[in-house]
């Protein structure tokens, strides 16, 4: 559904919105929103998203992991290699088909992921410390909705989303 948004709403507001999204994207990339303390910026976005997905969905093959993340299998293979090399992810044989490989979070990966999550949680708490709990909730809801709209747009154009919206 395509429409000229300038006829729907305030162009000044839409200009401000696109500017703030651009600034957010730049700042997020510059800081990688990596957290605070020693863990700050210690895990790149791709690694964080892969480990997080394996933690939430459990062990899975490369194809299933790629599909759940909306990225290509070759990208998952390339991104998971250093995680295996550093012991954050384990490759094991599929229990029903020994020829297939299953990726799973290692105990070291689980520990590391929780350290990074905790650091990033602390950053979010600091950035929003003067916000009311309701403001945090509304911001999260709207950002989730915005990301879902971006994912839907990409899908409608035949492009895989960088990360699908989480299931509700």
């Amino acid at each position: 559904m395509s429409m000229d948004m300038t006829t729907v709403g305030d162009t000044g507001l839409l200009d401000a919105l696109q500017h703030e999204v651009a600034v957010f994207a730049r700042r997020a990339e510059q800081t990688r929103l990596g957290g605070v303390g020693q863990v700050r910026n210690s895990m790149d976005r791709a690694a964080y998203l892969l480990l997080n997905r394996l933690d939430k969905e459990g062990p899975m093959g490369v194809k299933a992991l790629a599909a759940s993340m909306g990225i290509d299998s070759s990208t998952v293979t390339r991104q998971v290699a250093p995680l295996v090399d550093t012991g954050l992810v384990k490759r094991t044989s599929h229990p029903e088909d020994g020829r297939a490989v299953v990726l799973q979070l290692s105990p070291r990966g689980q520990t590391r992921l929780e350290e990074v999550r905790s650091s990033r949680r602390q950053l979010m708490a600091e950035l929003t410390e003067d916000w009311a709990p309701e403001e945090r909730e509304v911001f999260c809801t709207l950002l989730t909705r915005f990301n879902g709209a971006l994912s839907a747009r990409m899908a409608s154009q035949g492009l895989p989303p960088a990360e699908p919206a989480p299931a509700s």
Side-chain angles (χ1 to χ4, degrees):
M1 178 169 144
S2 178
M3 64 178 75
D4 180 2
M5 291 304 291
T6 60
T7 62
V8 174
D10 178 5
T11 57
L13 180 60
L14 294 173
D15 285 346
L17 178 59
Q18 69 79 24
H19 175 77
E20 291 302 325
V21 169
V23 170
F24 171 77
R26 182 180 64 218
R27 288 190 179 138
E29 189 57 34
Q30 286 172 339
T31 65
R32 296 190 331 206
L33 293 178
V36 295
Q38 290 183 323
V39 180
R40 182 177 173 272
N41 290 336
S42 63
M43 183 178 290
D44 69 37
R45 181 181 57 227
Y48 179 77
L49 292 173
L50 282 167
L51 294 177
N52 197 52
R53 183 63 58 154
L54 288 172
D55 182 48
K56 289 188 182 303
E57 296 187 19
M60 64 181 75
V62 170
K63 286 183 182 179
L65 182 57
S68 77
M69 295 185 69
I71 58 178
D72 188 79
S73 292
S74 63
T75 301
V76 167
T77 300
R78 187 179 70 253
Q79 291 176 349
V80 84
L83 300 176
V84 171
D85 292 344
T86 57
L88 300 177
V89 171
K90 295 190 305 187
R91 282 189 179 117
T92 59
S93 296
H94 190 284
E96 296 166 12
D97 180 358
R99 299 168 296 165
V101 173
V102 174
L103 301 170
Q104 68 181 67
L105 204 54
S106 70
R108 181 171 183 226
Q110 183 69 54
T111 299
R112 188 77 184 95
L113 179 59
E114 190 46 48
E115 289 170 354
V116 171
R117 277 183 183 153
S118 178
S119 175
R120 290 179 178 194
R121 234 182 266 120
Q122 178 63 33
L123 176 62
M124 293 299 110
E126 288 178 15
L127 292 174
T128 62
E129 69 185 341
D130 62 342
W131 295 20
E134 299 79 24
E135 290 174 311
R136 286 179 176 172
E137 192 171 323
V138 166
F139 181 70
C140 187
T141 298
L142 291 173
L143 190 56
T144 299
R145 186 174 167 191
F146 185 81
N147 282 332
L150 283 174
S151 291
R153 181 175 178 82
M154 291 179 73
S156 74
Q157 295 174 346
L159 302 170
E163 177 74 2
S168 300

